[in-house]
């Protein structure tokens, strides 16, 4: 049978038979039914569920959070640090106000200034107590030049050499010279009054006729409290 004869024969078949034959030919083989539409629908639903869960339970300060939630999360830590620094500053200020004059002050080498240093007189007669104000190392150089011939300042110089420019950045030094102190004793000093531009110190009155030792009392004061030694008043009891 030729192809033309076969085509004419097919054309004689009923239309419903040809349609059924075409559906049977296009249907998938038995046992291989494809469920891709239900699978896609389930995958879409699962994707929406996972996306909602991730958005709801993610940390508010993460990259997916908003700028507001991130700032709120960071605020408590920053506030605690600021509060701690403020409390520390207030405590330091209260301590400074309670003791504006320190009997001792840390030197640059980590040690503490002694309250008194023995400086025996080399020549001349004992005199009244006197005070000097040192605001920088150069002031000490001038004082040593003026008093070095009358007093043995060796021990005092050893202490002053450890005080450089950094030590004088926030404090000044008052040197109080006291003579006729009995052997085996050290001079005592009491601050009676301290205000801006005023410093009154009380000293014991020693027997000026007896032989004694000369001492220097070292008193650190807040920087700028005094402008000159004339603002220092020494009162002998």
């Amino acid at each position: 049978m030729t192809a033309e004869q076969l085509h004419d024969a097919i054309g004689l078949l009923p239309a419903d038979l040809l349609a059924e034959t075409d559906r049977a030919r296009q249907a998938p083989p038995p046992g291989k039914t494809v469920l891709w539409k239900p699978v896609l629908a389930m995958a879409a639903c699962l994707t929406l569920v996972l996306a909602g869960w991730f958005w709801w339970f993610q940390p508010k300060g993460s990259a997916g959070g908003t700028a507001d939630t991130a700032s709120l999360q960071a605020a408590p830590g920053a506030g605690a640090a600021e509060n701690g620094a403020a409390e520390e500053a207030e405590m330091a200020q209260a301590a400074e106000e309670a003791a504006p004059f320190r009997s001792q002050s840390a030197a640059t080498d980590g040690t503490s200034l002694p309250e008194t240093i023995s400086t025996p007189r080399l020549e001349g007669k004992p005199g009244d107590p006197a005070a000097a104000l040192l605001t920088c190392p150069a002031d000490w150089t001038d004082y040593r030049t003026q008093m070095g011939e009358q007093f043995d300042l060796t021990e005092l110089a050893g202490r002053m050499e450890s005080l450089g420019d950094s030590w004088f950045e926030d404090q000044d030094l008052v040197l109080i010279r006291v003579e006729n102190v009995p052997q085996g004793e050290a001079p005592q000093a009491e601050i009676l009054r301290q205000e801006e531009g005023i410093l009154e110190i009380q000293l014991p009155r020693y027997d000026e006729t007896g032989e004694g030792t000369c001492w220097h009392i070292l008193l650190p004061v807040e920087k700028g409290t005094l402008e000159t030694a004339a603002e220092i008043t020494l009162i002998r009891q």
Side-chain angles (χ1 to χ4, degrees):
M1 179 180 289
T2 63
E4 183 177 356
Q5 293 174 340
L6 179 61
H7 181 270
D8 294 339
I10 292 175
L12 297 176
L13 294 174
D16 57 346
L17 180 60
L18 293 176
E20 185 65 25
T21 302
D22 187 58
R23 284 196 299 271
R25 188 178 57 164
Q26 294 181 1
K32 294 185 179 181
T33 304
V34 179
L35 303 177
W36 57 273
K37 289 185 179 181
V39 171
L40 288 181
M42 293 178 63
C45 293
L46 182 60
T47 301
L48 291 176
V49 172
L50 291 177
W53 179 89
F54 178 78
W55 178 87
W56 183 261
F57 291 101
Q58 68 174 333
K60 298 305 179 183
S62 63
T66 63
D68 292 339
T69 56
S71 61
L72 290 175
Q73 185 180 19
E82 292 177 359
N83 292 337
E87 292 179 359
E88 184 177 352
E90 290 178 359
M91 293 177 61
Q93 182 178 359
E96 186 70 19
E97 292 176 354
F101 285 86
R102 292 159 286 181
S103 60
Q104 294 184 345
S105 181
T108 54
D109 58 358
T111 61
S112 296
L113 277 171
E115 295 182 355
T116 58
I117 291 181
S118 176
T119 51
R121 176 176 281 275
L122 299 176
E123 61 179 33
K125 296 181 179 180
D128 294 332
L133 177 65
L134 309 183
T135 61
C136 61
D139 291 343
W140 159 245
T141 301
D142 296 339
Y143 185 85
R144 185 177 185 181
T145 301
Q146 296 174 9
M147 301 298 174
E149 296 180 358
Q150 302 179 47
F151 303 93
D152 182 2
L153 302 179
T154 303
E155 185 178 352
L156 180 58
R159 174 55 62 193
M160 294 300 301
E161 287 177 357
S162 64
L163 308 182
D165 293 332
S166 59
W167 190 92
F168 284 96
E169 287 181 356
D170 59 353
Q171 56 196 330
D172 296 327
L173 183 65
V174 174
L175 286 182
I176 304 172
R177 188 175 65 252
V178 183
E179 300 193 59
N180 293 314
V181 180
Q183 296 289 341
E185 295 185 15
Q188 303 296 321
E190 180 183 356
I191 299 174
L192 299 179
R193 183 183 178 192
Q194 181 266 318
E195 297 177 4
E196 188 72 22
I198 298 176
L199 175 60
E200 293 182 358
I201 300 177
Q202 180 175 282
L203 302 169
R205 184 179 293 276
Y206 299 108
D207 184 4
E208 298 180 3
T209 61
E211 294 184 0
T213 305
C214 177
W215 292 73
H216 275 78
I217 301 174
L218 286 72
L219 179 63
V221 297
E222 185 178 353
K223 192 73 175 178
T225 301
L226 305 171
E227 294 184 359
T228 65
E231 298 174 338
I232 305 173
T233 302
L234 302 179
I235 304 173
R236 290 196 288 181
Q237 187 178 17

